[in-house]
Amino acid sequence: QVQLVESGGGLVEAGGSLRLSCAASGSAFSINAMGWYRQAPGKQRDLVAIITRGGTTNYADSVKGRFTISSDNAKKTVYLQMNSLKPEDTAVYLCYGNVGFRQYDYWGQGTQVTVSS
């Protein structure tokens, strides 16, 4: 089984920065893509950013120019550098991984990001 473990969430003031990390572990596997979703109370879960095996990145329009996604050489750890944070960025951020030939989806436990005004 594959596990995704997140770290780096917390409380930050508007305009500040935060860096999230997600490490994949478990049985031997290959990663097709990893990324971050977020879900605020009472709202749907939305894609924030994703990076594919080939290094292609995609971002939600709301975070372009402020957030940067990256991964390590093995593409089994993904990072989200969040700058110029806004109160509307407040949400639970969940790490996402798409794994293996059958393209199974895996999710982290979620880490809370709170941005105060």
Side-chain angles (χ1 to χ4, degrees), residues 18-74:
L18 210 59
R19 188 180 189 233
L20 306 183
S21 300
C22 175
S25 63
S27 301
F29 61 93
S30 61
I31 296 175
N32 305 311
M34 294 187 71
W36 296 91
Y37 286 70
R38 67 186 181 187
Q39 187 168 23
K43 297 184 178 180
Q44 65 181 342
R45 184 178 297 180
D46 293 326
L47 176 68
V48 177
I50 193 165
I51 183 166
T52 69
R53 185 178 182 180
T56 301
T57 58
N58 288 288
Y59 296 90
D61 288 341
S62 59
V63 307
K64 285 182 178 178
R66 300 188 297 121
F67 291 9
T68 302
I69 190 169
S70 61
S71 61
D72 69 3
N73 291 334

Side-chain angles (χ1 to χ4, degrees), residues 74-117:
K75 300 187 185 298
K76 293 183 177 179
T77 301
V78 65
Y79 308 92
L80 187 67
Q81 179 66 46
M82 304 185 293
N83 298 326
S84 302
L85 283 161
K86 305 174 180 179
E88 50 262 47
D89 295 318
T90 295
V92 173
Y93 283 69
L94 301 105
C95 183
Y96 163 81
N98 184 264
V99 177
F101 177 76
R102 290 174 287 183
Q103 300 184 44
Y104 289 162
D105 291 338
Y106 288 86
W107 295 92
Q109 80 283 357
T111 185
Q112 178 70 44
V113 171
T114 302
V115 184
S116 62
S117 60

